PDB file of all heavy atoms in Angstrom:
ATOM      1  N   MET I 516       1.932   8.697  10.864  1.00  0.00           N
ATOM      2  CA  MET I 516       3.263   9.305  10.848  1.00  0.00           C
ATOM      3  C   MET I 516       3.484  10.168   9.578  1.00  0.00           C
ATOM      4  O   MET I 516       3.131   9.736   8.486  1.00  0.00           O
ATOM      5  CB  MET I 516       4.334   8.182  10.970  1.00  0.00           C
ATOM      6  CG  MET I 516       4.213   7.304  12.222  1.00  0.00           C
ATOM      7  SD  MET I 516       4.511   8.280  13.738  1.00  0.00           S
ATOM      8  CE  MET I 516       4.305   6.993  14.960  1.00  0.00           C
ATOM      9  N   VAL I 518       6.395  11.121   8.186  1.00  0.00           N
ATOM     10  CA  VAL I 518       7.551  10.766   7.407  1.00  0.00           C
ATOM     11  C   VAL I 518       7.604   9.283   7.140  1.00  0.00           C
ATOM     12  O   VAL I 518       7.193   8.497   7.965  1.00  0.00           O
ATOM     13  CB  VAL I 518       8.865  11.225   8.173  1.00  0.00           C
ATOM     14  CG1 VAL I 518      10.090  10.716   7.484  1.00  0.00           C
ATOM     15  CG2 VAL I 518       8.936  12.719   8.276  1.00  0.00           C
ATOM     16  N   SER I 519       8.112   8.912   5.942  1.00  0.00           N
ATOM     17  CA  SER I 519       8.209   7.493   5.593  1.00  0.00           C
ATOM     18  C   SER I 519       9.010   6.758   6.665  1.00  0.00           C
ATOM     19  O   SER I 519       9.927   7.303   7.245  1.00  0.00           O
ATOM     20  CB  SER I 519       8.871   7.353   4.243  1.00  0.00           C
ATOM     21  OG  SER I 519       9.244   6.007   3.977  1.00  0.00           O
ATOM     22  N   ALA I 520       8.657   5.486   6.856  1.00  0.00           N
ATOM     23  CA  ALA I 520       9.396   4.679   7.789  1.00  0.00           C
ATOM     24  C   ALA I 520      10.790   4.262   7.265  1.00  0.00           C
ATOM     25  O   ALA I 520      11.662   3.883   8.024  1.00  0.00           O
ATOM     26  CB  ALA I 520       8.598   3.448   8.187  1.00  0.00           C
ATOM     27  N   GLU I 521      10.940   4.296   5.988  1.00  0.00           N
ATOM     28  CA  GLU I 521      12.176   3.749   5.386  1.00  0.00           C
ATOM     29  C   GLU I 521      13.430   4.494   5.872  1.00  0.00           C
ATOM     30  O   GLU I 521      13.466   5.694   5.891  1.00  0.00           O
ATOM     31  CB  GLU I 521      12.118   3.811   3.889  1.00  0.00           C
ATOM     32  CG  GLU I 521      13.317   3.177   3.160  1.00  0.00           C
ATOM     33  CD  GLU I 521      13.135   3.170   1.641  1.00  0.00           C
ATOM     34  OE1 GLU I 521      12.075   3.607   1.195  1.00  0.00           O
ATOM     35  OE2 GLU I 521      14.092   2.768   0.945  1.00  0.00           O
ATOM     36  N   ARG I 570       9.462  11.446  15.800  1.00  0.00           N
ATOM     37  CA  ARG I 570       9.109  10.488  14.702  1.00  0.00           C
ATOM     38  C   ARG I 570       8.263  11.119  13.603  1.00  0.00           C
ATOM     39  O   ARG I 570       8.293  10.648  12.492  1.00  0.00           O
ATOM     40  CB  ARG I 570       8.295   9.309  15.335  1.00  0.00           C
ATOM     41  CG  ARG I 570       7.772   8.299  14.380  1.00  0.00           C
ATOM     42  CD  ARG I 570       8.903   7.550  13.658  1.00  0.00           C
ATOM     43  NE  ARG I 570       8.402   6.628  12.633  1.00  0.00           N
ATOM     44  CZ  ARG I 570       8.208   6.962  11.366  1.00  0.00           C
ATOM     45  NH1 ARG I 570       8.577   8.138  10.914  1.00  0.00           N
ATOM     46  NH2 ARG I 570       7.709   6.085  10.531  1.00  0.00           N
ATOM     47  N   PRO I 574      12.692   9.265  10.120  1.00  0.00           N
ATOM     48  CA  PRO I 574      12.615   7.803  10.254  1.00  0.00           C
ATOM     49  C   PRO I 574      13.236   7.327  11.536  1.00  0.00           C
ATOM     50  O   PRO I 574      14.168   7.963  12.119  1.00  0.00           O
ATOM     51  CB  PRO I 574      13.418   7.297   9.027  1.00  0.00           C
ATOM     52  CG  PRO I 574      13.525   8.459   8.109  1.00  0.00           C
ATOM     53  CD  PRO I 574      13.536   9.651   8.980  1.00  0.00           C
ATOM     54  N   LEU I 575      12.780   6.178  11.993  1.00  0.00           N
ATOM     55  CA  LEU I 575      13.201   5.667  13.292  1.00  0.00           C
ATOM     56  C   LEU I 575      13.559   4.188  13.227  1.00  0.00           C
ATOM     57  O   LEU I 575      12.920   3.371  12.485  1.00  0.00           O
ATOM     58  CB  LEU I 575      12.117   5.823  14.351  1.00  0.00           C
ATOM     59  CG  LEU I 575      12.380   5.348  15.747  1.00  0.00           C
ATOM     60  CD1 LEU I 575      13.381   6.296  16.429  1.00  0.00           C
ATOM     61  CD2 LEU I 575      11.070   5.282  16.547  1.00  0.00           C
ATOM     62  N   LEU I 577      14.445   0.776  15.768  1.00  0.00           N
ATOM     63  CA  LEU I 577      14.385   0.228  17.155  1.00  0.00           C
ATOM     64  C   LEU I 577      15.521  -0.776  17.319  1.00  0.00           C
ATOM     65  O   LEU I 577      15.663  -1.712  16.539  1.00  0.00           O
ATOM     66  CB  LEU I 577      13.105  -0.498  17.429  1.00  0.00           C
ATOM     67  CG  LEU I 577      11.798   0.365  17.502  1.00  0.00           C
ATOM     68  CD1 LEU I 577      10.558  -0.524  17.832  1.00  0.00           C
ATOM     69  CD2 LEU I 577      11.961   1.462  18.548  1.00  0.00           C
ATOM     70  N   LYS I 599       6.397  -5.573  20.485  1.00  0.00           N
ATOM     71  CA  LYS I 599       5.408  -5.483  19.407  1.00  0.00           C
ATOM     72  C   LYS I 599       4.557  -4.222  19.525  1.00  0.00           C
ATOM     73  O   LYS I 599       4.311  -3.530  18.519  1.00  0.00           O
ATOM     74  CB  LYS I 599       4.510  -6.734  19.382  1.00  0.00           C
ATOM     75  CG  LYS I 599       3.418  -6.633  18.283  1.00  0.00           C
ATOM     76  CD  LYS I 599       2.566  -7.837  18.172  1.00  0.00           C
ATOM     77  CE  LYS I 599       1.411  -7.612  17.206  1.00  0.00           C
ATOM     78  NZ  LYS I 599       1.719  -6.926  16.000  1.00  0.00           N
ATOM     79  N   ALA I 600       4.173  -3.900  20.703  1.00  0.00           N
ATOM     80  CA  ALA I 600       3.395  -2.633  20.902  1.00  0.00           C
ATOM     81  C   ALA I 600       4.195  -1.385  20.457  1.00  0.00           C
ATOM     82  O   ALA I 600       3.646  -0.504  19.800  1.00  0.00           O
ATOM     83  CB  ALA I 600       2.977  -2.534  22.360  1.00  0.00           C
ATOM     84  N   LEU I 601       5.457  -1.401  20.765  1.00  0.00           N
ATOM     85  CA  LEU I 601       6.368  -0.286  20.385  1.00  0.00           C
ATOM     86  C   LEU I 601       6.515  -0.268  18.888  1.00  0.00           C
ATOM     87  O   LEU I 601       6.474   0.828  18.209  1.00  0.00           O
ATOM     88  CB  LEU I 601       7.732  -0.459  21.090  1.00  0.00           C
ATOM     89  CG  LEU I 601       8.599   0.720  21.193  1.00  0.00           C
ATOM     90  CD1 LEU I 601       7.916   1.843  22.025  1.00  0.00           C
ATOM     91  CD2 LEU I 601       9.903   0.344  21.886  1.00  0.00           C
ATOM     92  N   ASN I 602       6.716  -1.449  18.270  1.00  0.00           N
ATOM     93  CA  ASN I 602       6.820  -1.536  16.822  1.00  0.00           C
ATOM     94  C   ASN I 602       5.542  -0.989  16.135  1.00  0.00           C
ATOM     95  O   ASN I 602       5.608  -0.271  15.151  1.00  0.00           O
ATOM     96  CB  ASN I 602       7.114  -3.000  16.461  1.00  0.00           C
ATOM     97  CG  ASN I 602       7.188  -3.221  14.914  1.00  0.00           C
ATOM     98  OD1 ASN I 602       8.137  -2.894  14.270  1.00  0.00           O
ATOM     99  ND2 ASN I 602       6.086  -3.790  14.349  1.00  0.00           N
ATOM    100  N   ASP I 603       4.371  -1.448  16.643  1.00  0.00           N
ATOM    101  CA  ASP I 603       3.123  -0.981  16.054  1.00  0.00           C
ATOM    102  C   ASP I 603       2.877   0.526  16.211  1.00  0.00           C
ATOM    103  O   ASP I 603       2.368   1.187  15.330  1.00  0.00           O
ATOM    104  CB  ASP I 603       1.951  -1.779  16.664  1.00  0.00           C
ATOM    105  CG  ASP I 603       1.990  -3.246  16.315  1.00  0.00           C
ATOM    106  OD1 ASP I 603       2.771  -3.662  15.384  1.00  0.00           O
ATOM    107  OD2 ASP I 603       1.278  -4.017  16.988  1.00  0.00           O
ATOM    108  N   ARG I 604       3.327   1.052  17.327  1.00  0.00           N
ATOM    109  CA  ARG I 604       3.156   2.449  17.614  1.00  0.00           C
ATOM    110  C   ARG I 604       3.988   3.349  16.811  1.00  0.00           C
ATOM    111  O   ARG I 604       3.469   4.395  16.296  1.00  0.00           O
ATOM    112  CB  ARG I 604       3.442   2.685  19.095  1.00  0.00           C
ATOM    113  CG  ARG I 604       3.199   4.133  19.595  1.00  0.00           C
ATOM    114  CD  ARG I 604       3.349   4.167  21.131  1.00  0.00           C
ATOM    115  NE  ARG I 604       3.116   5.479  21.630  1.00  0.00           N
ATOM    116  CZ  ARG I 604       3.003   5.779  22.924  1.00  0.00           C
ATOM    117  NH1 ARG I 604       3.197   4.796  23.833  1.00  0.00           N
ATOM    118  NH2 ARG I 604       2.783   6.997  23.349  1.00  0.00           N
ATOM    119  N   TYR I 605       5.226   3.019  16.531  1.00  0.00           N
ATOM    120  CA  TYR I 605       6.115   3.904  15.892  1.00  0.00           C
ATOM    121  C   TYR I 605       6.536   3.514  14.434  1.00  0.00           C
ATOM    122  O   TYR I 605       7.156   4.305  13.721  1.00  0.00           O
ATOM    123  CB  TYR I 605       7.414   4.097  16.701  1.00  0.00           C
ATOM    124  CG  TYR I 605       7.185   4.910  17.942  1.00  0.00           C
ATOM    125  CD1 TYR I 605       7.078   4.299  19.227  1.00  0.00           C
ATOM    126  CD2 TYR I 605       7.043   6.300  17.928  1.00  0.00           C
ATOM    127  CE1 TYR I 605       6.795   5.031  20.356  1.00  0.00           C
ATOM    128  CE2 TYR I 605       6.774   7.022  19.047  1.00  0.00           C
ATOM    129  CZ  TYR I 605       6.667   6.441  20.249  1.00  0.00           C
ATOM    130  OH  TYR I 605       6.417   7.151  21.385  1.00  0.00           O
ATOM    131  N   GLN I 606       6.130   2.335  14.018  1.00  0.00           N
ATOM    132  CA  GLN I 606       6.389   1.898  12.637  1.00  0.00           C
ATOM    133  C   GLN I 606       7.795   2.179  12.281  1.00  0.00           C
ATOM    134  O   GLN I 606       8.105   2.923  11.328  1.00  0.00           O
ATOM    135  CB  GLN I 606       5.397   2.608  11.671  1.00  0.00           C
ATOM    136  CG  GLN I 606       3.964   2.277  11.900  1.00  0.00           C
ATOM    137  CD  GLN I 606       3.658   0.815  11.659  1.00  0.00           C
ATOM    138  OE1 GLN I 606       3.900   0.339  10.575  1.00  0.00           O
ATOM    139  NE2 GLN I 606       3.081   0.103  12.605  1.00  0.00           N
ATOM    140  N   PRO I 607       8.784   1.560  12.978  1.00  0.00           N
ATOM    141  CA  PRO I 607      10.196   1.848  12.650  1.00  0.00           C
ATOM    142  C   PRO I 607      10.599   1.222  11.295  1.00  0.00           C
ATOM    143  O   PRO I 607      10.021   0.233  10.792  1.00  0.00           O
ATOM    144  CB  PRO I 607      10.933   1.164  13.769  1.00  0.00           C
ATOM    145  CG  PRO I 607      10.011   0.015  14.142  1.00  0.00           C
ATOM    146  CD  PRO I 607       8.595   0.577  14.053  1.00  0.00           C
ATOM    147  N   GLY I 608      11.585   1.836  10.682  1.00  0.00           N
ATOM    148  CA  GLY I 608      12.078   1.338   9.409  1.00  0.00           C
ATOM    149  C   GLY I 608      12.965   0.069   9.580  1.00  0.00           C
ATOM    150  O   GLY I 608      13.045  -0.735   8.707  1.00  0.00           O
ATOM    151  N   LEU I 609      13.621  -0.032  10.728  1.00  0.00           N
ATOM    152  CA  LEU I 609      14.476  -1.245  11.026  1.00  0.00           C
ATOM    153  C   LEU I 609      14.312  -1.633  12.500  1.00  0.00           C
ATOM    154  O   LEU I 609      14.060  -0.774  13.345  1.00  0.00           O
ATOM    155  CB  LEU I 609      15.958  -0.884  10.804  1.00  0.00           C
ATOM    156  CG  LEU I 609      16.358  -0.588   9.344  1.00  0.00           C
ATOM    157  CD1 LEU I 609      17.871  -0.053   9.337  1.00  0.00           C
ATOM    158  CD2 LEU I 609      16.268  -1.813   8.472  1.00  0.00           C
ATOM    159  N   ARG I 653       7.784  -8.932  10.709  1.00  0.00           N
ATOM    160  CA  ARG I 653       8.777  -8.290   9.885  1.00  0.00           C
ATOM    161  C   ARG I 653      10.129  -9.006  10.113  1.00  0.00           C
ATOM    162  O   ARG I 653      10.350  -9.692  11.120  1.00  0.00           O
ATOM    163  CB  ARG I 653       8.907  -6.857  10.265  1.00  0.00           C
ATOM    164  CG  ARG I 653       9.344  -6.645  11.737  1.00  0.00           C
ATOM    165  CD  ARG I 653       9.424  -5.179  12.123  1.00  0.00           C
ATOM    166  NE  ARG I 653      10.288  -4.416  11.201  1.00  0.00           N
ATOM    167  CZ  ARG I 653      10.148  -3.098  11.044  1.00  0.00           C
ATOM    168  NH1 ARG I 653       9.247  -2.403  11.618  1.00  0.00           N
ATOM    169  NH2 ARG I 653      11.026  -2.512  10.164  1.00  0.00           N
TER     170      ARG I 653
END
Side-chain angles (χ1 to χ4, degrees):
M516 300 295 180
V518 171
S519 168
E521 184 175 356
R570 176 65 184 93
L575 180 71
L577 290 183
K599 176 174 172 47
L601 200 60
N602 176 76
D603 294 346
R604 182 172 182 172
Y605 288 102
Q606 298 294 305
L609 295 170
R653 63 184 301 158

